[in-house]
Amino acid sequence: MEAARHFSKADMQAAHQLSTDFWLAATSCYRTLDEAEPNPSLKLAKPFPRYDFLRKVAREFDLHKTVIILKPRQMFISWLCVAYALHKCLWQPGTRWLVVSKREADAFKLKARADVILQNLPRELALLLDHRAEDNKGNIEFVGGSAIHFLPASPSIGRTFTASGVILDEFAFAPWAQEMLTSLQPTLAGGGQLIIPSTPNGVGNEFHTIWANAEERGFHKVKLDWRDHPERDQEWYNGVVKPLSRRMAAQEYDCDFLQSGAVVFDAEDLTLHTQPTKDAIKAWNTEARRHRDDSPYLIGVDTADGLDDGDY
């Protein structure tokens, strides 16, 4: 590149190290934005957080082609994923990444995070790398042929070209989940990378199916806990879940597949009511070894949901 002529040999060696070490580049050169900050004057770009759990997730990106992440909200995972895809496009000419969200508005929010990173690159790095040929609401293309596309979910996503990598953000809530995975097969077959981060949304959806069968489907599993965040404690957790239903707390922060779905009975209530029965059955099996008239019984009913596609 023309700008590279102004850099010394030591500068280029340092740049090469950044190109091969995503975590080093993220924590030394990329910046984030505190989107929860209500005061606009305080909403300034800040260094990428050096949390240990983020470092471990970044390491998984380097080690595995297909990664599925079960995560709570507000853990910087979306920032990490966008930074990773942008990192690949900046340092590897001809690289194309897709970042897919459930809706167009969500895709544009992730694009805005890429904008924050690019706008706050160190000057020397911007001169070396930031050669944008096109930059609009949903796409960033670089002179070297790299591009990152921010798209809403679509059943034919990825059919127009084979991507170097794909991020399916909040995949548990995405429409056309199975169709998207089918259309992305050429990307995977060609050695492309697939990263699927999401909070849970009950059982039976494609995200849960992949998680439950990750080994046979070739996915590396990463499960995060809100306690992994060094700035979170029980008081923080109690505050954020206080206004939420048990279902929403299970979905947003507890990473509980079963309780985050459209359950009829609460899991804690079931445990509370069934444990005495389990204890009684255990006592009956170990002591009496025979039926007693006063033994308690538990009866459960699976009611139909009346859905259009079945379960009448």
Side-chain angles (χ1 to χ4, degrees), residues 73-100:
R73 291 284 303 278
Q74 299 176 304
M75 296 289 282
F76 277 94
I77 296 300
S78 293
W79 273 102
L80 188 71
C81 289
V82 169
Y84 182 73
L86 187 59
H87 177 83
K88 293 294 185 181
C89 292
L90 282 171
W91 293 99
Q92 298 177 8
T95 300
R96 285 185 172 267
W97 273 74
L98 302 179
V99 180
V100 183

Side-chain angles (χ1 to χ4, degrees), residues 125-144:
L125 210 58
L127 288 173
L128 179 66
L129 298 174
D130 188 9
H131 298 274
R132 279 171 275 183
E134 180 181 342
D135 188 347
N136 54 45
K137 204 168 184 179
N139 302 283
I140 305 174
E141 297 192 16
F142 298 93
V143 172

Side-chain angles (χ1 to χ4, degrees), residues 143-247:
V143 172
S146 293
I148 179 169
H149 306 281
F150 298 86
L151 304 169
S154 163
S156 60
I157 202 82
R159 287 193 182 277
T160 55
F161 59 84
T162 300
S164 307
V166 180
I167 294 168
L168 299 176
D169 189 53
E170 289 296 350
F171 189 58
F173 302 86
W176 306 296
Q178 288 183 329
E179 292 87 343
M180 284 197 295
L181 287 178
T182 299
S183 68
L184 290 171
Q185 283 308 307
T187 289
L188 299 180
Q193 194 165 5
L194 177 60
I195 299 172
I196 304 180
S198 186
T199 50
N201 185 28
V203 300
N205 55 66
E206 194 65 18
F207 178 74
H208 172 259
T209 300
I210 295 174
W211 181 266
N213 304 279
E215 185 174 352
E216 66 180 75
R217 296 185 64 163
F219 278 84
H220 178 73
K221 294 167 68 172
V222 177
K223 183 176 181 179
L224 298 177
D225 190 289
W226 63 265
R227 299 172 188 83
D228 294 331
H229 197 300
E231 299 173 11
R232 308 269 163 84
D233 56 18
Q234 192 64 44
E235 183 179 359
W236 173 88
Y237 173 81
N238 293 340
V240 295
V241 301
K242 186 176 181 179
L244 304 180
S245 65
R246 286 185 177 179
R247 176 186 177 185

